[in-house]
C-alpha cells in the first residue's frame, strides 16, 4: 500500500475492479464493485469468468506486489504466462 486514496476508483467507468494482496482490506472498504481474491492467478480467473459485454480486461497494478512477487518484471512475466495459458485453453 502506497497510502494512495482509492476513492477515485469509484469514478472510473468500469464494471469491476479485482483486488488481491495486502491492499484488499482497504479496497473492500472504499471501492464500489470490488471483487476480492488471494492472488494474481485467481484474479485472472475471475476476470475471464465475468459475464460482461465487450469484455476488456485491463491489467493495471494499483500497488507494488512485493508480498507475492520479487518485482514488477516478475509480476508481468507471470501475467504473460497466464494469458498464454488462457489462449491455449489451459486455464
Amino acid at each position: 500500500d502506497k497510502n494512495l486514496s482509492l476513492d477515485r476508483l469509484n469514478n472510473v467507468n468500469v464494471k469491476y475492479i479485482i483486488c488481491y494482496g495486502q491492499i484488499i482490506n482497504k479496497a473492500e472498504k472504499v471501492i464500489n464493485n470490488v471483487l476480492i481474491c488471494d492472488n494474481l492467478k485467481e484474479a485472472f480467473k475471475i476476470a475471464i469468468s465475468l459475464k460482461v459485454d465487450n469484455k476488456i480486461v485491463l491489467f493495471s497494478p494499483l500497488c507494488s506486489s512485493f508480498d507475492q512477487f520479487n518485482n514488477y518484471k516478475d509480476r508481468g512475466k507471470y501475467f504473460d504466462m497466464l494469458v498464454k495459458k488462457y489462449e491455449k485453453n489451459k486455464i
Side-chain angles (χ1 to χ4, degrees):
D1 184 1
K2 294 181 180 180
N3 293 315
L4 301 173
S5 172
L6 303 181
D7 295 323
R8 297 182 322 182
L9 294 175
N10 289 318
N11 297 326
V12 295
N13 186 22
V14 297
K15 297 282 183 186
Y16 301 99
I17 295 175
I18 304 169
C19 290
Y20 69 91
Q22 294 176 345
I23 193 74
I24 61 175
N25 292 328
K26 183 176 179 181
E28 63 187 349
K29 292 176 185 172
V30 177
I31 304 171
N32 300 328
N33 297 330
V34 67
L35 303 174
I36 301 297
C37 58
D38 292 326
N39 54 55
L40 180 53
K41 184 175 184 178
E42 187 178 340
F44 188 86
K45 286 181 177 184
I46 290 170
I48 61 176
S49 72
L50 293 172
K51 305 299 181 206
V52 178
D53 293 336
N54 301 318
K55 186 186 312 187
I56 296 173
V57 175
L58 172 65
F59 177 57
S60 180
L62 178 65
C63 301
S64 301
S65 298
F66 295 126
D67 59 327
Q68 296 184 23
F69 297 96
N70 291 325
N71 55 47
Y72 72 95
K73 290 179 183 179
D74 286 345
R75 180 178 57 198
K77 287 177 186 177
Y78 187 73
F79 181 76
D80 287 345
M81 183 270 308
L82 291 172
V83 171
K84 288 175 184 168
K85 282 188 173 185
Y86 172 72
E87 289 173 342
K88 292 180 181 180
N89 296 316
K90 294 185 178 181
I91 284 187

